[in-house]
Amino acid sequence: MQSYPEQERAAVVGAVFRLGQWVAMKSYTLPDGRVWRTMDSVDRLEVVTAEQLAAAGRLEVAHGAHRGRIVQAVVSSRAGQFRVVCTCAPGAGEICRDGRKVTWCPSLNSARDLWDWHVYSGAPVDSAA
């Protein structure tokens, strides 16, 4: 898994030495059954188990025209925290407060509160980059 908190997809990794550097050959299966392979520097990856990934909270949420999800970070200093995403408008993405790019919530309850704040206050969302 790449070492940034928004990462949601893990891959099977085989490390190889290439051109004087350790790189990881990553492969994962797409929903349609095809296998996708990429290479990445090993210093940008975090090792996670299938159990850690399965235990991470992922909750689909909806209300009226709002469709989104609450996702728990698995890696980085944000591990265990939650972010909220909504697709209510073109270019919509991370729900944020106070001009931040992502509002990280320390618990699932606080993430649900952020979702409710967004849905019921008509709060704007920031584009996900």
Side-chain angles (χ1 to χ4, degrees):
M1 177 172 281
Q2 289 187 346
S3 59
Y4 58 93
E6 293 86 359
Q7 180 70 23
E8 296 176 30
R9 183 173 28 212
V12 175
V13 174
V16 296
F17 191 75
R18 183 174 187 194
L19 300 174
Q21 296 182 355
W22 283 103
V23 294
M25 177 65 74
K26 303 182 302 184
S27 63
Y28 52 91
T29 304
L30 299 171
D32 64 5
R34 292 181 296 142
V35 175
W36 182 260
R37 289 185 176 85
T38 60
M39 292 182 85
D40 207 342
S41 174
V42 294
D43 61 350
R44 296 184 352 175
L45 303 176
E46 296 282 337
V47 175
V48 296
T49 65
E51 292 80 16
Q52 285 174 288
L53 197 57
R58 286 179 189 76
L59 179 64
E60 297 295 321
V61 288
H63 184 273
H66 298 275
R67 301 281 181 270
R69 65 189 182 283
I70 297 173
V71 181
Q72 187 176 23
V74 178
V75 297
S76 83
S77 62
R78 298 285 185 194
Q81 296 182 26
F82 295 83
R83 66 189 175 100
V84 184
V85 178
C86 186
T87 58
C88 61
E94 307 290 344
I95 296 174
C96 61
R97 288 188 185 179
D98 305 325
R100 295 182 186 139
K101 191 64 172 174
V102 177
T103 298
W104 287 97
C105 302
S107 68
L108 181 55
N109 285 339
S110 62
R112 287 178 188 261
D113 290 344
L114 180 61
W115 171 258
D116 290 344
W117 172 79
H118 168 70
V119 168
Y120 295 112
S121 70
V125 295
D126 209 357
S127 295

